[in-house]
């Protein structure tokens, strides 16, 4: 099966603030090239111990709500045993247990099948590392 599996790495700079970065457009661009009208699955994976992938609504405050919820559940204080980096950085290493580092999404006719208000987002709470990679893989 030629071209059954295609992968690409995105390189993102998230800055020094906690962020939810919408990468839906990057996923769609990748699928235009990789899927070429075929059905299959898109896997989105972030190879970092302090970031995750979420499928959520953006632009209406949900992205800020997600960051606020993570702060409420995982305060950035000195309770964490993992202590290198900025104060409270240990909580960043727990984030992927709640916002997994991957998502697998359906692709129909070469297009990402998301709900009306859904977006694919990188969730990055680590202020110490602004350089992020996201692997997009299409299996047709």
């Amino acid at each position: 099966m030629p071209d059954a599996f295609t992968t690409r790495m995105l390189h993102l700079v998230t800055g020094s603030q906690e962020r939810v970065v919408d990468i839906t457009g990057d996923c769609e661009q990748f699928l235009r090239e990789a899927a070429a009208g075929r059905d299959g699955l898109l896997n989105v994976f972030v190879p970092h111990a302090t970031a995750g992938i979420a499928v959520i609504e953006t632009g209406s405050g949900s992205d800020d709500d997600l960051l606020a919820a993570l702060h409420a559940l995982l305060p950035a204080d000195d309770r964490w045993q993992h202590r290198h980096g900025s104060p409270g950085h240990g909580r960043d290493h727990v984030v992927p247990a709640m916002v997994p580092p991957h998502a697998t999404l359906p692709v129909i006719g070469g297009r990402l099948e998301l709900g009306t208000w859904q977006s694919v987002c990188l969730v990055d709470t680590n202020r110490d590392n602004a350089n992020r990679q996201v692997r997009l893989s299409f299996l047709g």
Side-chain angles (χ1 to χ4, degrees), residues 1 5 16 63 79 89 97 99 103:
M1 291 194 317
F5 181 79
S16 61
D63 34 358
R79 73 183 69 200
H89 171 67
V99 181

Side-chain angles (χ1 to χ4, degrees), residues 52-128:
I53 299 295
V55 178
I56 63 169
E57 179 180 1
T58 59
S60 65
S62 297
D63 34 358
D64 291 332
D65 289 341
L66 174 58
L67 292 175
L70 289 173
H71 257 285
L73 293 169
L74 307 170
D77 58 23
D78 64 356
R79 73 183 69 200
W80 308 101
Q81 293 185 36
H82 187 108
R83 293 185 185 263
H84 76 84
S86 60
H89 171 67
R91 57 95 64 174
D92 299 326
H93 288 272
V94 179
V95 167
M98 299 192 176
V99 181
H102 60 86
T104 300
L105 306 165
V107 176
I108 307 297
R111 296 181 54 101
L112 191 55
E113 284 293 306
L114 294 173
T116 302
W117 304 111
Q118 290 179 319
S119 296
V120 181
C121 298
L122 168 68
V123 179
D124 186 6
T125 62
N126 183 354
R127 296 174 292 134
D128 294 337

Side-chain angles (χ1 to χ4, degrees), residues 4-83:
F5 181 79
T6 306
T7 190
R8 172 177 304 148
M9 192 70 82
L10 300 178
H11 300 277
L12 305 170
V13 178
T14 57
S16 61
Q17 299 289 329
E18 295 181 358
R19 292 195 49 208
V20 175
V21 181
D22 187 339
I23 59 169
T24 309
D26 295 301
C27 294
E28 291 169 340
Q29 174 62 37
F30 170 69
L31 289 171
R32 278 192 285 282
E33 299 166 19
R38 296 177 293 155
D39 295 348
L41 296 171
L42 173 68
N43 182 265
V44 183
F45 176 73
V46 57
H48 297 285
T50 58
I53 299 295
V55 178
I56 63 169
E57 179 180 1
T58 59
S60 65
S62 297
D63 34 358
D64 291 332
D65 289 341
L66 174 58
L67 292 175
L70 289 173
H71 257 285
L73 293 169
L74 307 170
D77 58 23
D78 64 356
R79 73 183 69 200
W80 308 101
Q81 293 185 36
H82 187 108
R83 293 185 185 263

